[in-house]
Amino acid sequence: MKLSLGPLLYYWPRETIFAFYEAMAATPLDVVYLGETVCSRRHELRLADWLDIARMLQDAGKQAVLSTQVLIESGSDVSVLHKIAANTDFTVEANDMGAVRCLSGQHPFVAGPHLNLYNAPSLQWMAQLGASRWVMPLEMAQDALAAMLVNRPAGLETEVFAYGRMPLAYSARCFTARHRNLPKDDCRFSCMDHADGLTLRTRESEDFLVLNGTQTQSARVYNLANELAAMGAMGVDLVRLSPQAQHMAQIIALFDEARGPAQPASVDYVERMQAFMPDQPCNGYWFGRPGLEQGHAASHAPGP
């Protein structure tokens, strides 16, 4: 099973981003997704910069994939999408149907997690359009995934989002700017002040959601490190980890250990990662329960 690093969802300074990916080049990652997927106003890096990082990672033995923006809002967004789709050096992850249309019949592509592929016919259709890999929708349960994989198209890889704050929704409004009473067009790049997003709490002071510009995330960190053996048994090819500002190398190292062939089922990797996570873990969606819950597979169930 391969380890992938999803696209950077936050807005970091230019030097921080370059330093982060240089560090990632030395980790046991197999695939790295690159590019701005959340907000086109984030201009610390241009497409040429992402391509430079992609070449650096490729030289380090990683597969670099360019990710497209999830919510296309302007003509300039469309122009960038066409430039990404036209590149012939790197595979592209399509995160909306406009990107699929640009790539279909041109190059094999990755069908991103926001394309709403929830059944076998939609998966078959996407493979016919040229998808070589698909990413499971974030809220899909393991039973539903297993049913889809029984008759998945030949040669189509399956990737599962397995670690990170879950990107739950996208909006034309910027909630981080609105928090500071700023309009979106004059946001003053407020999201750069929050390296892992801005936590939204309930009246009971419980972490609930995270505001990340036009994106809303879960406050809790989705973590399926204890489920890698089950994923491998059902035919999952890649597990995706989402970048965070601190301790990313430690998280990758523990996932690398967890995917090893001889790991005892009694090891609780989620517990071992607690000190490196920005919030408490959750995995409810994987077990068909509310997403913020933290459940256990039979092999990791606590004793009486």
Side-chain angles (χ1 to χ4, degrees):
M1 187 181 297
K2 295 179 181 179
L3 292 181
S4 72
L5 185 70
L8 176 62
L9 302 180
Y10 306 108
Y11 195 30
W12 297 345
R14 177 184 178 87
E15 295 78 11
T16 302
I17 296 174
F18 275 99
F20 175 80
Y21 284 108
E22 286 174 2
M24 293 301 99
T27 68
L29 289 167
D30 301 290
V31 180
V32 181
Y33 292 83
L34 301 167
E36 180 55 53
T37 64
V38 177
C39 178
S40 59
R41 285 182 58 80
R42 298 176 174 179
H43 287 157
E44 286 290 292
L45 268 66
R46 304 285 184 167
L47 178 56
D49 298 313
W50 289 116
L51 289 170
D52 287 342
I53 294 174
R55 296 185 188 99
M56 180 271 293
L57 290 166
Q58 188 177 64
D59 290 342
K62 320 296 184 189
Q63 182 196 18
V65 180
L66 301 178
S67 295
T68 67
Q69 195 168 317
V70 174
L71 185 61
I72 303 294
E73 299 186 72
S74 67
S76 60
D77 291 351
V78 174
S79 177
V80 172
L81 168 61
H82 282 284
K83 289 178 181 177
I84 294 173
N87 102 89
T88 57
D89 295 326
F90 302 101
T91 301
V92 175
E93 177 186 47
N95 281 309
D96 83 317
M97 288 306 297
V100 172
R101 185 176 185 275
C102 289
L103 294 161
S104 178
Q106 303 299 319
H107 311 286
F109 62 90
V110 178
H114 307 289
L115 294 184
N116 298 324
L117 302 174
Y118 287 102
N119 53 55
S122 65
L123 200 58
Q124 182 67 48
W125 175 58
M126 197 59 57
Q128 291 172 353
L129 293 176
S132 59
R133 180 186 305 155
W134 74 294
V135 186
M136 182 191 83
L138 304 180
E139 69 276 19
M140 182 176 284
Q142 60 177 330
D143 293 344
L145 175 62
M148 288 185 67
L149 294 184
V150 171
N151 295 309
R152 68 168 158 174
L156 183 67
E157 292 185 317
T158 297
E159 183 171 349
V160 172
F161 185 100
Y163 178 85
R165 282 178 163 151
M166 304 183 75
L168 301 174
Y170 293 81
S171 172
R173 293 183 176 181
C174 176
F175 295 110
T176 307
R178 191 167 185 176
H179 173 74
R180 297 178 59 181
N181 294 317
L182 296 172
K184 181 181 179 181
D185 292 339
D186 185 27
C187 66
R188 304 177 193 174
F189 305 107
S190 301
C191 50
M192 192 176 283
D193 295 334
H194 308 281
D196 284 311
L198 174 62
T199 302
L200 179 68
R201 296 181 175 87
T202 65
R203 290 183 176 180
E204 292 76 24
S205 297
E206 181 181 359
D207 293 354
F208 178 49
L209 297 171
V210 163
L211 304 181
N212 179 38
T214 59
Q215 181 190 72
T216 302
Q217 301 178 329
S218 63
R220 293 198 169 202
V221 180
Y222 200 58
N223 193 333
L224 300 181
N226 290 336
E227 314 307 323
L228 299 194
M231 291 184 199
M234 70 173 67
V236 172
D237 301 287
L238 300 91
V239 290
R240 175 178 295 201
L241 319 181
S242 191
Q244 61 186 37
Q246 302 291 330
H247 310 303
M248 196 68 228
Q250 289 91 331
I251 294 295
I252 293 169
L254 285 167
F255 265 91
D256 183 43
E257 181 182 330
R259 67 172 169 170
Q263 296 307 313
S266 59
V267 177
D268 190 338
Y269 284 98
V270 175
E271 177 63 29
R272 292 178 61 185
M273 291 180 193
Q274 287 274 10
F276 307 125
M277 295 167 56
D279 210 306
Q280 295 299 306
C282 67
N283 60 10
Y285 283 146
W286 182 251
F287 294 106
R289 298 200 294 268
L292 53 72
E293 292 186 5
Q294 174 66 17
H296 298 270
S299 59
H300 293 282

